[in-house]
Amino acid sequence: MITLDDLVQEVQGLAPLPTAAAKLVQILAVDEAEVGTAVEIIRFDQALTASVLRYANSPIAGAYYPTNSIKDATIRIGLGKVLEIAISSHVREPMGNALPEYGLGEEELWTHSVASALAAEVMLRDHKMAIPQLSFAAALLHDIGKLVLTRHLDPAIQGSIRRLTTDCSMTYYRAELEVLGFSHADLGAQISERWNLGKDISRAIGTHHEVETTPGPVADVVRISNLAAKTVGSGLGFEGMNLEADAGACERLGLDRSGFERLSADVAVLLRDIQKSHS
Amino acid sequence: MRHVVGVGDMKLSANAGDIVVTHALGSCIGLAIHDQSAQVGGILHFMLPVSSVNPDKAKANPYMFADTGIPAFFKEAFKLGASKRIIKIKIAGGAQVFDDKDFFAVGKRNQVVTRKIFWKNNLMIEREHVGGSNSRTLYLEIGTGRAWMTIQGQEIQL
Ligand SMILES: [Fe+2]
Ligand SMILES: [Fe+2]
């Protein structure tokens, strides 16, 4: 049987985050408004510069007039979005792979991750909720543990998980914990630590299926983002809707029932627009 | 031809050789309708029960919501020659997350609102496979009206 320690070894072997992303995390952890330093970091990375400008000028960012200034672009989209873009370039390819052990086809994990990040974005921009900038990156990465764990879910393990979910009506996450002793959330937190994403993001990823207790607002945003992303039909796989929802997260963030449904509708429309623009 | 219906969308067809399919029905509901004599049918995949949460979005995306999507879907089916008396209605989806406070009751509410709409319009749901927590895929064969779905790799006739 595999252990979390074995997999932590594997996580240590993952390529580190691009320099720009690692530095942006540090800035965001200290002071969210330090745009000047951020601009220097972005400028140093040509690919990131191009991506930030492209996004800032897209209709999805609500661009009213074009800009080719990195500073303007950064202010327009916010440092949290810049960080998400920087991390995206690093995880885009592996997250586009199929995860058959989770019942996820090609692009499904990626779409789910994008939908989750979009949910965080909509909360901040359209619902004017006071949510931390780090939430976007955390939402994008919340299921990254599946990427490493998937290869180790042999048919015996899958069978045990399925039995617990169908016969004992356990949630997929609880069944994973029961069978393995740890979950994709724990592994995701390990990856986040390996990438030095800081305690807010690591804890948010590590507890994204927990209810009742919360390590803080980033974690609350991630829980709701995951649910909104599921509601729009992304990343269902074998887990489906078989998860516990944390209503407390909504209450703490000041989102009511219809607010959650409005959020889901907004995410569905944005997601479709993004998919259209890419095809 | 095989038509794939996305979330918040619908597809109707009068081509006997067509198959309409919709994937990733979690809390969403897939509604399959079929008129055997007119050989018209299709699938609507809506996501949320009521459009009042977002009237602007509902105008541009009526198929996103049950209350705007179902009437619009039937209207289009009637245009293609389907008749209210003959039409057969089947639904699948409406899965629900675990939430003792019913805060995220989208799956349940989708079911309730759907029933209400059909009841008000004197229409009967012929077959359904709803609830639980698993994801479903719904299929409809236009030539025969045969509808079926898959859930956890299992095929079930509707
Ligand atoms: Fe998860
Ligand atoms: Fe997720």
Side-chain angles (χ1 to χ4, degrees), chain B residues 49-84:
Chain B
V50 290
S51 57
S52 56
V53 296
N54 205 334
D56 293 343
K57 286 265 163 5
K59 250 181 219 152
N61 308 277
Y63 299 120
M64 190 82 79
F65 305 91
D67 64 345
T68 47
I70 295 175
F73 181 52
F74 272 81
K75 218 167 152 187
E76 291 303 313
F78 296 151
K79 275 190 207 162
L80 284 177
S83 99
K84 188 180 169 181

Side-chain angles (χ1 to χ4, degrees), chain A residues 227 231-233 236 238 240-247 250 255-258 260-262 264-266 268-269 272, chain B residues 7-8 24 26-28 47-49 53-54 57 61 64 95-99 101-104 109 133 135 152:
Chain A
L227 286 165
T231 303
V232 307
L236 294 174
F238 296 145
M241 302 300 279
N242 187 11
L243 52 139
E244 260 175 293
D246 186 6
C250 272
L255 197 68
D256 61 12
R257 274 186 189 82
S258 66
F260 174 74
E261 291 182 14
R262 192 155 63 91
S264 303
D266 289 343
V269 171
R272 201 174 53 196
Chain B
V7 180
S27 51
C28 296
M47 189 176 104
L48 294 166
V53 296
N54 205 334
K57 286 265 163 5
N61 308 277
M64 190 82 79
Q96 181 59 51
V97 295
F98 292 90
D99 163 23
K101 290 189 181 148
D102 261 358
F103 208 98
F104 303 91
R109 302 208 314 116
S133 59
S135 165
Q152 298 285 76

Side-chain angles (χ1 to χ4, degrees), chain B residues 120-131:
Chain B
K120 265 193 194 157
N121 287 282
N122 279 315
L123 282 163
M124 239 181 53
I125 298 170
E126 199 198 26
R127 295 293 302 271
E128 62 176 46
H129 196 290
V130 293

Side-chain angles (χ1 to χ4, degrees), chain A residues 142-143 146 184 208-209 226 239:
Chain A
H142 77 275
D143 272 334
K146 288 186 176 175
H184 68 279
H208 77 266
H209 285 290
N226 181 35
E239 180 181 54

